[in-house]
Amino acid sequence: MEKFKTAHESKVSITELMLPSHSNFGGKVHGGHILNLMDQIAFACASKHSQRYCVTASVNRVDFLHPVEVGELITLKASINYTGRTSMVVGVRVESENITTGTKRHCNSSYFTMVAKDEHGKGMTVPGLLVEDEEGVRRFARSKRRKEEAFSRDTQFDSSKFKIEEHMKFLEGENIKLSLS
């Protein structure tokens, strides 16, 4: 296995026609269907980079910016943004395209943390990321920062360390009614 690989070496994309069977009651494509496709392409990208079976450990923020219509093409693009010891952050971008007008729209982007596994389900070391440009450094640094912020957020709200008095002011003006016993 190579010690380092470029993001370009594991970059993948897919394009799929959105069918009526993918739609919700409002006639738009189910967000869940798009999430499923995003998870599949994140798996493909991470597996290609690590040359291992990979599992999804987490998904960082998915904002649906524009609805996807039945009959549109969606293109999903994935690339490795960050590598840890056994994990990788895969950036996934989704664009829709109206095939009659040619109009393209950015629908959403998200970041999937994928973990490489061996045949016994244990984490496997992955190749590092060989970064060749400023954009690659930006993506790596952003992913590292997100990872640190998630850890900080998780530990800040750990139930064994949570102090209610530190958070009461934060709740003022919110749509909440407290009835604490």
Side-chain angles (χ1 to χ4, degrees), residues 90-124:
V90 179
V92 178
R93 180 180 173 93
V94 181
E95 295 174 347
S96 65
E97 180 179 356
N98 181 305
I99 56 176
T100 58
T101 66
T103 302
K104 293 181 181 180
R105 293 190 304 177
H106 174 215
C107 297
N108 66 334
S109 294
S110 190
Y111 305 93
F112 285 67
T113 299
M114 308 297 289
V115 177
K117 298 288 188 173
D118 68 11
E119 53 278 351
H120 305 292
K122 295 192 190 256
M124 292 287 298

Side-chain angles (χ1 to χ4, degrees), residues 18-175:
M18 295 295 97
L19 303 171
S21 61
H22 302 138
S23 69
N24 59 28
F25 294 114
K28 309 296 185 201
V29 174
H30 278 291
H33 180 69
I34 295 171
L35 281 170
N36 180 45
L37 293 172
M38 293 172 74
D39 190 48
Q40 288 178 40
I41 198 166
F43 167 84
C45 182
S47 294
K48 192 172 179 181
H49 183 83
S50 66
Q51 297 178 286
R52 298 285 178 196
Y53 177 78
C54 294
V55 297
T56 306
S58 68
V59 181
N60 183 301
R61 193 172 175 151
V62 180
D63 292 323
F64 293 96
L65 307 173
H66 300 285
V68 177
E69 306 288 338
V70 169
E72 289 186 326
L73 296 175
I74 63 165
T75 299
L76 296 94
K77 300 173 185 176
S79 64
I80 301 292
N81 288 356
Y82 171 88
T83 51
R85 190 179 67 77
T86 63
S87 67
M88 298 151 281
V89 173
V90 179
V92 178
R93 180 180 173 93
V94 181
E95 295 174 347
S96 65
E97 180 179 356
N98 181 305
I99 56 176
T100 58
T101 66
T103 302
K104 293 181 181 180
R105 293 190 304 177
H106 174 215
C107 297
N108 66 334
S109 294
S110 190
Y111 305 93
F112 285 67
T113 299
M114 308 297 289
V115 177
K117 298 288 188 173
D118 68 11
E119 53 278 351
H120 305 292
K122 295 192 190 256
M124 292 287 298
T125 302
V126 301
L129 189 60
L130 175 58
V131 177
E132 301 175 306
D133 58 19
E134 190 174 316
E135 179 66 9
V137 172
R138 185 186 70 79
R139 288 179 178 191
F140 195 97
R142 180 181 57 195
S143 293
K144 183 172 173 35
R145 176 68 50 90
R146 275 195 176 106
K147 184 177 179 174
E148 291 169 352
E149 288 170 352
F151 178 78
S152 173
R153 187 174 52 249
D154 290 348
T155 56
Q156 178 184 9
F157 291 97
D158 181 293
S159 61
S160 66
K161 299 174 187 167
F162 184 77
K163 294 183 176 120
I164 192 169
E165 60 277 0
E166 293 176 5
H167 300 278
M168 295 303 289
K169 184 92 173 147
F170 183 66
L171 301 178
E172 289 177 13
E174 295 297 322
N175 189 14

